């Protein structure tokens, strides 16, 4: 009798437990309900158990060595998938580490959600000195598109829904979601918990442009004698590839792709003006921007880079406030890229190609510059220069157009952008609007995870230093990532000298460093390449094998220029050295 009573009591307790849920499970269920199946982060208090539980529930949890790199991974995952990439961090220092990536995502219009555990509100608000005490919500707000805090388990569903919608709707961006430690352990009725979850419906609805705006844009474009189309990474994010290609080809207008828009149409397309950039910017009279902004990357749409010819701008952007941000926009077209380009294409009717003399001017300059560059890309010097090494990688990417290229550095970035042609959209991932260093390994990991494609990460030795420890992460998850480090012994170059002391110059690294040994330490493949031929063999072997590989490409220390192509942004002192005449 006693045994039966005990069994009944145990069964009743088990039944009661089955009817309850908690914050841990509700966050996981909210993710799954909304198709979020990958989390990038670093475990620790108070989110360690959450990571374990999410993994047990079928969510892929990628554990990094530093939150900033996990955040960069989440940001580029958002760009590649049009779903918010999720970065999970601990409180205070971990949150701050992730915040750089969150601000980067917002600046670049990548949908991302940074979720951080946090200390208890009542202690934080009274500043009583809790573990990792910090008002994280207040700190995050100025640096992202939206920021929310969830205090009650019953609000997890609506909080997650708001974060998802804010990240992807309109102009995408970063969102911060604050989850205090107590929230995870809060218990509530399981049935009520499930009902509290929200599946976000149509999170990024189409925003149709006004017919009058479309007509105005077409009228301005028709009036052009020297038209130009500029494609930005917003055009690549839109995944309206076929429509954009149809518009460009029907118009017959030369196009200039910004770096992360390369491959929307192949760089070898007859209308591509990438190799005649200076000419088309200076001589064009009507410029249509598709998902590109007139920020510093385009010299703000004015000045010497744009020449003396008066310009009329047509701008397609989902954000009305972007119009007239630097120069007058003659024909603003506000809406999502896909809808705007479709409307323009539909309204074109029978279209007159641009004047033949303009096409000839662009084509001639492009062909001249390509021919001038060709011999430099074919040298087999040892130590290598940038052109010889990049010439090899250019050929490899041409032979493997499906591979994803991640690229960062100063000279390594600037030269690769112009030398390596891309053939498919969203295959080139780089430093973006801020020109930020350190995105390399985070981007490479997310690109491999989200696409399943092989990744070639071409890194300056300085840029690699920001995220280099993540090669362990690459090895741990056995990702098909080949990292090529252009090693010229320093930042910009390795020849600077400290003339007043024994310390090395601030821009100089250890001479003859062997970065390949770092990859070997974690079970990956390391190769030291001293000639373009050696580099070619090593990269092809890595891409064929799919094994984590790091190639130390030895570059002449004298190669490279100060700050790459943006050296003009580096202030120089006008004063002479003390003690000199």
């Amino acid at each position: 009798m006693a045994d039966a009573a005990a069994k009944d009591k145990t069964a009743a307790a088990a039944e009661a437990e089955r009817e309850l849920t908690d914050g841990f499970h509700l966050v996981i269920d909210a993710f799954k309900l909304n198709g979020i199946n990958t989390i990038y982060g670093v475990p620790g208090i108070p989110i360690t158990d959450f990571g374990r539980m999410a993994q047990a529930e079928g969510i892929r949890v990628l554990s990094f060595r530093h939150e900033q790199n996990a955040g960069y991974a989440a940001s580029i995952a958002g760009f590649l998938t049009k779903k918010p990439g999720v970065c999970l961090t601990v409180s205070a220092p971990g949150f701050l580490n992730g915040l750089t990536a969150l601000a980067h995502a917002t600046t670049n219009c990548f949908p991302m959600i940074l979720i951080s555990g946090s200390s208890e509100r009542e202690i934080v608000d009274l500043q009583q000195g809790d573990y990792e005490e910090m008002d994280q919500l207040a700190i995050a707000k100025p640096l992202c598109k939206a920021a929310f805090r969830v205090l009650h388990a019953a609000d997890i569903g609506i909080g997650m829904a708001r974060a998802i919608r804010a990240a992807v709707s309109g102009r995408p961006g970063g969102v911060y979601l604050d989850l205090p430690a107590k929230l995870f352990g809060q218990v509530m009725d399981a049935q009520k918990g499930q009902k509290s979850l929200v599946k976000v419906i149509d999170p990024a609805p189409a925003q149709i442009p006004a017919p009058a705006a479309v007509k105005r844009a077409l009228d301005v474009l028709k009036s052009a004698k020297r038209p130009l189309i500029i494609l930005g990474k917003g055009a690549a994010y839109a995944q309206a590839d076929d429509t954009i290609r149809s518009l460009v080809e029907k118009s017959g207008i030369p196009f200039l792709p910004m770096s992360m828009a390369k491959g929307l149409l192949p760089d070898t397309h007859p209308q591509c003006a990438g190799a005649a950039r200076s000419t088309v910017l200076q001589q064009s009279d009507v410029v249509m921007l598709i998902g590109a902004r007139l920020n510093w990357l385009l010299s703000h749409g004015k000045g010497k880079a744009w020449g003396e010819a008066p310009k009329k701008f047509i701008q397609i952007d989902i954000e009305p406030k972007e119009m007239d941000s630097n120069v007058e926009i003659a024909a603003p077209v506000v809406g999502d890229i896909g809808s705007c380009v479709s409307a323009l294409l539909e309204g074109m009717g029978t279209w007159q190609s641009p004047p033949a003399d303009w096409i000839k001017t662009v084509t001639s300059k492009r062909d001249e510059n390509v021919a001038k560059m060709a011999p430099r890309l074919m040298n087999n010097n040892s130590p290598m220069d940038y052109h010889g090494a990049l010439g090899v990688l250019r050929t490899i990417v041409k032979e493997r157009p499906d591979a994803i290229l991640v690229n960062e550095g100063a000279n390594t970035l600037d030269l690769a952008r112009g030398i390596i042609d891309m053939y498919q959209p969203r295959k080139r991932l780089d430093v973006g609007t801020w020109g930020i260093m350190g995105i390399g390994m985070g981007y490479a990991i997310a690109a491999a995870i989200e696409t399943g494609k092989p990744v070639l990460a071409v890194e300056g030795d300085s840029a690699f230093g920001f995220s280099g420890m993540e090669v362990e992460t690459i090895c741990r998850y056995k990702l098909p990532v080949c990292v090529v480090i252009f090693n010229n012994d320093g930042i910009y170059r390795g020849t600077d000298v400290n003339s007043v002391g024994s310390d090395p110059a601030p821009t100089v690294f250890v001479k003859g460093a062997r970065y390949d040994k770092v990859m070997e330490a974690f079970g990956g493949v390391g190769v030291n390449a001293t000639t373009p031929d050696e580099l070619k063999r090593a990269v092809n072997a890595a891409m064929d094998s799919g094994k984590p590989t790091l190639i130390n490409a030895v570059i002449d220390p004298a190669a490279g220029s100060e700050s790459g192509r943006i050296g003009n942004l580096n202030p120089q002192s006008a004063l002479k050295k003390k003690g000199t005449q």
Side-chain angles (χ1 to χ4, degrees), residues 384 389 392-393 396 455-461 464 471 481-487 513-520 524-543 547-555:
M384 291 182 277
V392 162
L393 300 183
I396 290 171
V455 177
L456 176 62
V458 182
E459 303 273 308
D461 49 355
F464 175 74
V471 297
V481 174
C482 174
V483 183
V484 177
I485 298 178
F486 278 32
N487 181 4
R514 290 290 300 275
Y515 293 98
D516 50 305
K517 299 296 183 183
V518 178
M519 183 64 96
E520 289 180 354
V525 177
V527 181
N528 189 55
T530 60
T531 68
D533 285 347
E534 291 177 0
L535 178 60
K536 182 177 182 178
R537 285 194 295 271
V539 174
N540 276 323
M543 302 296 274
K547 293 178 181 177
T549 302
L550 190 151
I551 301 165
N552 184 60
V554 180
I555 304 293

Side-chain angles (χ1 to χ4, degrees), residues 2-12:
D3 286 347
K7 285 179 181 177
D8 288 344
K9 190 173 181 181
T10 302

Side-chain angles (χ1 to χ4, degrees), residues 139-216:
I139 293 168
K141 277 182 178 180
L143 299 173
C144 57
K145 189 178 174 188
F148 307 102
R149 177 183 289 128
V150 182
L151 294 175
H152 304 290
D155 294 328
I156 286 172
I158 207 74
M160 192 69 71
R162 295 203 70 189
I164 292 168
R165 192 176 293 279
V168 298
S169 63
R171 171 173 281 179
V175 175
Y176 174 62
L177 191 60
D178 190 277
L179 304 181
K182 270 186 188 175
L183 177 74
F184 291 104
Q186 283 184 23
V187 174
M188 67 179 293
D189 177 80
Q191 192 173 26
K192 288 181 179 177
Q194 286 302 308
K195 287 183 178 178
S196 73
L197 299 180
V198 177
K199 182 173 175 58
V200 182
I201 306 300
D202 198 13
Q207 296 191 26
I208 311 299
V214 172
K215 183 179 183 306
R216 183 188 305 116

Side-chain angles (χ1 to χ4, degrees), residues 375-388:
R376 303 182 68 186
L377 304 180
M378 296 175 66
N379 76 70
N380 197 36
N381 295 344
S382 179
M384 291 182 277
D385 60 24
Y386 284 97
H387 290 85

Side-chain angles (χ1 to χ4, degrees), residues 90-296:
V90 302
S91 49
F95 155 76
L96 290 174
N97 286 341
L99 204 55
T100 301
L102 184 69
H104 166 78
T106 304
T107 301
N108 281 281
C109 313
F110 299 158
M112 171 188 166
I113 302 174
L114 175 66
I115 298 178
S116 297
S118 63
S119 299
E120 304 311 332
R121 294 307 316 152
E122 59 270 26
I123 303 178
V124 172
D125 290 346
L126 280 172
Q127 300 176 27
Q128 294 179 314
D130 201 5
Y131 170 71
E132 295 188 348
E133 177 184 296
M134 179 178 284
D135 190 352
Q136 295 170 195
L137 188 75
I139 293 168
K141 277 182 178 180
L143 299 173
C144 57
K145 189 178 174 188
F148 307 102
R149 177 183 289 128
V150 182
L151 294 175
H152 304 290
D155 294 328
I156 286 172
I158 207 74
M160 192 69 71
R162 295 203 70 189
I164 292 168
R165 192 176 293 279
V168 298
S169 63
R171 171 173 281 179
V175 175
Y176 174 62
L177 191 60
D178 190 277
L179 304 181
K182 270 186 188 175
L183 177 74
F184 291 104
Q186 283 184 23
V187 174
M188 67 179 293
D189 177 80
Q191 192 173 26
K192 288 181 179 177
Q194 286 302 308
K195 287 183 178 178
S196 73
L197 299 180
V198 177
K199 182 173 175 58
V200 182
I201 306 300
D202 198 13
Q207 296 191 26
I208 311 299
V214 172
K215 183 179 183 306
R216 183 188 305 116
L218 289 171
D219 287 344
V220 172
L221 201 57
K222 282 176 186 174
S223 71
K225 302 297 183 189
R226 299 180 302 281
L228 173 67
I229 294 173
I230 296 181
L231 302 173
K233 67 176 176 290
Y237 173 82
Q239 297 192 17
D241 309 332
D242 292 342
T243 312
I244 291 170
R245 181 169 189 146
S246 295
L247 176 71
V248 172
E249 291 184 338
K250 183 172 182 178
S251 73
I253 295 172
F255 69 91
L256 178 67
M258 302 301 288
S259 62
M260 282 182 60
K262 283 165 67 72
L264 265 171
L265 289 85
D267 286 337
T268 52
H269 192 282
Q271 288 171 244
C272 183
R277 177 188 172 98
S278 296
T279 297
V280 292
L281 290 183
Q282 290 176 356
Q283 296 186 24
S284 56
D285 62 350
V286 171
V287 179
M288 181 161 71
L289 303 154
I290 303 179
R293 293 175 282 186
L294 287 173
N295 54 23
W296 71 277

Side-chain angles (χ1 to χ4, degrees), residues 64-75:
F64 281 65
R65 304 303 293 263
H66 195 284
E67 292 92 351
Q68 192 173 101
N69 303 321
Y72 289 142
S75 73

